[in-house]
Amino acid sequence: MKAAILPRFGAPLSVEDVPEPTIGTGEALVDVVAAPVLSYATEVFSGARRYLLPTPVVPGCGAIGRVRAVGPDSTRLRPGDWVFCDPTVRSRDGAATPDITLQGWSARGEGGQKLQRYFRDGTFAERVRVPTENAAPIGAIDPVEAGRWCAINTLLVAYGGLLAMDFRPGETLLVSGATGNFGSATVALALAMGARCVVAPGRNRAVLDSLRTRFGERIVPVELSGDSAADTEAMRRAAPGPIDAVQDFLPPTVSATVARAAIITLRQGGRAVLMGGVGMLGGEDLALPYPWIMRSLITVRGQWMYDAAAVPGMVGLIRSGLLDLEQWAVTEFPLAEVNDAVEHAAAEAGPFKLTALKP
């Protein structure tokens, strides 16, 4: 079969013939119909993000495809089923605290790297081998819509944070980093889940205005000034009432002061979920005030990716019509043009834009 290979960090990908994956018990083989090309793939492939990804490797994080074969222990999955290939692979011998690897992308800790040595190659290929539980059924779709369904890859990360904070209909959410891919996905999801209001701070006025145009009065854009105290006050004033929750998706290049200014807006008993990259490239710590957290009964938690149970919930939001995938504009590339796809994803990064490979 054909696959794109990253021979080493800093080198372009090459499309080569590689051996067909073989499966055993607890595994499924999936024909990749569309694979998302993440906007920061150039940073991963250059080594700038310092991801744990052994090379040479077939990269690629998630896909939409059709089951080709299943292992002998599969009881419901059938060849021909349309599935989302969930890249979040969890160890099966640590139910309470599983080791995790992002197949074809990165790993977390020593256990995650051990898992990665087996589930190593990703979805920039004609076929991919995944754990059976990671071939998540999405129901029948028109093949031409496979690229748009790749939005689920980003949406699930945002959904994982909203589930972690137990976000409820009628609440007001502040999305820190609302003008990025994950932040804008959080905006769409929160509205689909019944948010009273979503406060969307950022510095890109054009993107903020486009969010308001797209979603209407339940979006409240706030243009940040860079003055932390003033920005906190502006975000509080913009909300129609107390801010119940904050979801942070700020990238590694942003100062911790920006994240702190957003979190401090929370009402008494408010919740904050941290899912971004603040501090990954160095810089100051988040340094939230201890007395404020204690006296205001604030919950701050981290969330990496999402639980497996999030996938059927996400599919349900899409199938019900509450979340419209037509919001996403998709640009597709054949596997032979994988390097062009990676460049395009970086150049055209932004809310509601998708780049997809069609192996």
Side-chain angles (χ1 to χ4, degrees):
M1 71 171 187
K2 297 288 187 183
I5 306 292
L6 178 67
R8 62 188 181 280
F9 288 119
L13 285 82
S14 61
V15 178
E16 303 175 12
D17 289 308
V18 300
E20 293 273 351
T22 58
I23 64 168
T25 301
E27 297 172 354
L29 183 64
V30 178
D31 291 324
V32 177
V33 180
V37 183
L38 304 189
S39 60
Y40 60 93
T42 52
E43 299 173 33
V44 175
F45 299 158
S46 70
R49 288 231 174 184
R50 306 177 204 167
Y51 277 13
L52 297 174
L53 182 64
T55 57
V57 67
V58 178
C61 189
I64 300 296
R66 301 192 77 173
V67 174
R68 174 175 283 254
V70 294
D73 60 333
S74 179
T75 61
R76 301 185 185 183
L77 208 58
R78 297 286 185 270
D81 287 351
W82 281 96
V83 295
F84 165 61
C85 296
D86 184 354
T88 311
V89 179
R90 301 165 180 84
S91 61
R92 292 165 172 159
D93 53 355
T97 56
D99 292 302
I100 295 177
T101 189
L102 294 183
Q103 187 172 354
W105 209 244
S106 187
R108 187 178 70 181
E110 183 179 345
Q113 291 176 74
K114 183 177 181 180
L115 192 62
Q116 184 185 55
R117 286 195 284 273
Y118 185 73
F119 289 107
R120 174 190 181 103
D121 289 333
T123 54
F124 286 9
E126 292 178 321
R127 282 171 284 287
V128 64
R129 179 190 65 188
V130 298
T132 305
E133 63 270 26
N134 286 59
I138 61 172
I141 65 171
D142 187 328
V144 301
E145 291 297 310
R148 185 164 279 110
W149 269 84
C150 285
I152 197 173
N153 209 62
T154 300
L155 284 162
L156 273 166
V157 180
Y159 192 44
L162 293 173
L163 292 178
M165 69 171 62
D166 189 24
F167 185 73
R168 304 180 187 102
E171 290 193 314
T172 293
L173 175 72
L174 187 151
V175 181
S176 189
T179 57
N181 286 329
F182 290 111
S184 60
T186 305
V187 170
L189 269 169
L191 293 174
M193 295 169 68
R196 175 189 179 188
C197 169
V198 177
V199 179
R203 296 194 178 189
N204 189 325
R205 186 74 231 181
V207 175
L208 292 174
D209 289 343
S210 72
L211 286 172
R212 180 62 176 256
T213 300
R214 186 183 294 267
F215 292 113
E217 294 183 357
R218 289 165 68 201
I219 291 290
V220 181
V222 179
E223 189 169 6
L224 298 177
S225 67
D227 181 318
S228 296
D231 287 340
T232 294
E233 185 58 27
M235 287 183 275
R236 281 183 177 142
R237 284 199 314 267
I243 294 173
D244 301 291
V246 170
Q247 184 141 308
D248 181 279
F249 268 118
L250 291 171
T253 52
V254 174
S255 167
T257 59
V258 181
R260 184 163 56 249
I263 295 169
I264 293 294
T265 65
L266 283 168
R267 64 163 171 84
Q268 181 172 309
R271 301 99 70 201
V273 171
L274 310 182
M275 301 191 74
V278 169
M280 287 184 179
L281 300 179
E284 65 173 313
D285 197 4
L286 185 57
L288 292 170
Y290 187 117
W292 172 74
I293 293 174
M294 177 187 65
R295 292 170 184 163
S296 299
L297 313 177
I298 300 297
T299 299
V300 180
R301 65 166 287 176
Q303 177 68 26
W304 192 61
M305 302 302 287
Y306 45 87
D307 293 334
V311 181
M314 172 59 58
V315 173
L317 284 170
I318 296 168
R319 290 294 186 181
S320 69
L322 290 169
L323 188 66
D324 185 7
L325 294 183
E326 292 292 331
Q327 296 276 1
W328 278 263
V330 186
T331 305
E332 299 175 345
F333 292 82
L335 186 62
E337 298 175 14
V338 62
N339 289 300
D340 293 336
V342 171
E343 291 180 9
H344 180 273
E348 296 297 323
F352 306 104
K353 294 180 180 180
L354 270 174
T355 303
L357 279 181
K358 299 294 289 288

